[in-house]
Amino acid sequence: MSGLSTSRRRLIQGAGVGAGAVVAVGAGFAGGRASADAADIPATDDGELVDLNVEHAFYTGSHQAGIETPQQRHTVFMTFDLTTTSKQDLQVLLARWSAGIAQLQAGLPVGSVQPTNPSGVPGDTGEAYDLGPASLTVTLGLGPGVFDDRFGLADKKPKLLADLPQLPSDRLRPELTGGDLSLQACADDPQVAYHAIRDLARLGRGTVNTRWTVMGFGRASAGKGQTTPRNLMGFKDGTRNVKEPAQIDEHVWLDGTDGEQAWMSGGSYMVARKIQMNIEIWDSSDITNQEQVFGRTKGEGAPLSGKKEFDTPDFHKVVDGKPAIPPTSHVALAAPENNDGIRILRRGYNYTDGINDLGFLDAGLLFVAYMNDPDSFVKLQTKLGGSDKLNEYIAHIGSGIFAVPPAPKKGHYLGEALFA
Ligand code: HEM
């Protein structure tokens, strides 16, 4: 793979991405970063390339990056509580974060890494200085708290933004729940993602406190043109994700209709859930049980009614007097065929927090989904939380809901319309 020409590499990397969304950056960046050559680009198990020079534009004036963008390999997700009650402070924060994200997505530091004055404090923490943009995207979300009585923005509140109701099987921990604001950094290098969140949190000091965070790896959903990755239960995840642009238009983006705030046009809603897996229990269950839980085969990822991964599941097929796909399997409960056509764009990541107090592996899924109506998640999770066979092996321990504004044009900042 390392013998590929630069143009070939860029062609592969850019496949399936909307026009203008990706800028392949040439060698020799500002800021002294080393330029990548072919040897820097490792081929991975699934044959995809990781090109650390891929840059996603920030000032698109349409959708924020990090939603339809082909899913990167690593994430750092963090939510924040606003410590100010000043509307102006919030405005300054969003403007500073926007300028910072634009720099970071271009692979540039947010301040001087090497101040010339010996007593100067570096404006950028420096750990991503030589790493390139690495496909970084940082996606901002506004939680319900932004529109409470602190900032006088109630009349600008996105129509469907409200705290999620208590859902069946919720085992939410307060310290892993909520947040006035969220930032999700996704990148093909974990240090680039970590650096972005660290430096944005630093830019927000005095205005926000950190609330909860998850560092995720090994993307756990497939987007258009991507090989399907696997979650920590070993199953392919994302086979039937929302991938086609027409589906994304229909189920993900807000278009200013249905009484939605005009300033949210081109935006979306995001639900994040930290879902812990009881890994040891899962690992000791037999393959038949595992496949019945999901309604798919483990190796191929085929629906139990078919043979190949992308065979359309047949929820009516009966084998030996029983449904081939158990009605309480995860896919039977979640499929659009059985939910009045509801679809959400899943963009999750695996996570690990090491081991817990009992010495068991502490790991699971950072479930992240985008949709133009949060009730889609509520309806699906009401069903899944009530009867999903998977419940024996998982617990939803963290949760957040956010309105995701559209991306600004050059010279503007995220959420600027709130202050008009
Ligand atoms: C740890 C928790 C979860 C795991 C391990 C998991 C895993 C999977 C797997 C392996 C599939 C089949 C492959 C695919 O089509 O992507 C799937 C499908 C799906 N999951 Fe999950 N999932 C989890 C949580 C959730 C939650 C919380 C929701 C929404 C409330 C959800 C919604 C869906 C949907 C909509 C599908 C597609 C079903 C279809 O159209 O066939 N999942 N999930």
Side-chain angles (χ1 to χ4, degrees):
M1 284 294 183
S2 59
L4 286 171
S5 71
T6 303
S7 58
R8 171 83 177 123
R9 277 187 268 119
R10 287 179 186 161
L11 197 71
I12 291 170
Q13 194 68 25
V17 179
V22 164
V23 183
V25 181
F29 304 100
R33 256 189 294 108
S35 61
D37 60 22
D40 293 335
I41 302 171
T44 55
D45 293 350
D46 55 14
E48 288 180 23
L49 298 177
V50 179
D51 183 345
L52 298 180
N53 283 333
V54 173
E55 173 187 338
H56 293 283
F58 174 70
Y59 293 110
T60 61
S62 66
H63 316 304
Q64 279 194 68
I67 303 171
E68 198 170 356
T69 310
Q71 198 174 347
Q72 305 92 324
R73 287 164 191 273
H74 301 273
T75 196
V76 177
F77 173 77
M78 191 175 279
T79 81
F80 301 85
D81 290 329
L82 283 156
T83 54
T84 177
T85 51
S86 148
K87 195 175 178 174
Q88 201 189 350
D89 285 352
L90 175 60
Q91 195 173 2
V92 170
L93 174 75
L94 294 177
R96 292 187 84 191
W97 272 359
S98 300
I101 294 168
Q103 285 287 107
L104 293 162
Q105 285 190 186
L108 299 171
V110 295
S112 171
V113 172
Q114 182 74 65
T116 45
N117 178 348
S119 57
V121 176
D124 182 286
T125 55
E127 71 272 27
Y129 196 39
D130 310 306
L131 293 177
S135 291
L136 175 72
T137 56
V138 182
T139 312
L140 169 92
L142 308 170
V146 168
F147 305 94
D148 65 19
D149 48 15
R150 283 176 291 173
F151 305 101
L153 296 172
D155 60 329
K156 298 277 175 56
K157 184 175 170 131
K159 187 181 161 202
L160 304 174
L161 181 64
D163 284 324
L164 293 170
Q166 166 85 28
L167 294 166
S169 304
D170 270 1
R171 301 240 295 275
L172 302 183
R173 299 183 190 158
E175 71 278 14
L176 297 176
T177 300
D180 292 329
L181 297 162
S182 69
L183 291 174
Q184 184 179 19
C186 301
D188 282 327
D189 182 284
Q191 193 148 314
V192 167
Y194 186 79
H195 167 259
I197 295 299
R198 176 183 177 190
D199 277 59
L200 291 168
R202 191 170 178 236
L203 283 176
R205 255 178 227 160
T207 309
V208 285
N209 279 345
T210 56
R211 186 168 176 87
W212 62 285
T213 188
V214 180
M215 188 160 183
F217 60 93
R219 64 185 170 81
S221 306
K224 189 173 163 63
Q226 292 187 316
T227 320
T228 315
R230 291 179 188 268
N231 57 44
L232 293 182
M233 289 173 153
F235 278 70
K236 288 185 183 171
D237 206 328
T239 302
R240 289 233 295 168
N241 208 358
V242 171
K243 297 177 187 176
E244 296 302 325
Q247 283 182 340
I248 297 178
D249 283 346
E250 185 182 345
H251 299 282
V252 177
W253 304 127
L254 296 166
D255 59 10
T257 58
D258 295 334
E260 185 53 270
Q261 297 277 357
W263 69 271
M264 278 291 291
S265 270
S268 188
Y269 290 95
M270 177 221 215
V271 172
R273 307 279 280 187
K274 186 172 184 183
I275 308 177
Q276 191 181 59
M277 294 174 174
N278 304 322
I279 297 225
E280 283 82 357
I281 301 176
W282 175 257
D283 289 348
S284 61
S285 72
D286 64 58
I287 185 69
T288 306
N289 174 65
Q290 291 192 359
E291 294 186 335
Q292 299 264 314
V293 164
F294 283 111
R296 286 185 172 270
T297 61
K298 192 163 190 176
E300 168 66 22
L304 295 183
S305 58
K307 289 198 167 54
K308 304 301 282 178
E309 181 186 354
F310 292 101
D311 288 350
T312 303
D314 178 354
F315 297 107
H316 302 291
K317 184 168 176 179
V318 173
V319 177
D320 297 335
K322 288 199 232 149
I325 303 177
T328 52
S329 65
H330 185 68
V331 298
L333 291 167
E337 290 87 338
N338 305 327
N339 291 288
D340 301 324
I342 287 178
R343 286 177 198 269
I344 55 178
L345 188 158
R346 291 170 285 140
R347 214 171 181 286
Y349 286 87
N350 303 316
Y351 77 83
T352 172
D353 286 341
I355 49 175
N356 66 19
D357 295 349
L358 302 170
F360 293 124
L361 297 177
D362 192 350
L365 179 74
L366 172 66
F367 173 91
V368 172
Y370 292 91
M371 63 214 80
N372 52 20
D373 182 353
D375 199 43
S376 300
F377 172 80
V378 172
K379 286 200 174 114
L380 288 179
Q381 186 50 29
T382 301
K383 258 173 101 173
L384 291 171
S387 28
D388 196 348
K389 276 175 177 286
L390 191 55
N391 292 334
E392 209 179 314
Y393 306 98
I394 61 169
H396 288 232
I397 56 171
S399 179
I401 178 164
F402 302 91
V404 179
K409 289 194 179 119
K410 187 92 185 150
H412 296 270
Y413 60 89
L414 285 161
E416 189 176 326
L418 282 177
F419 309 95

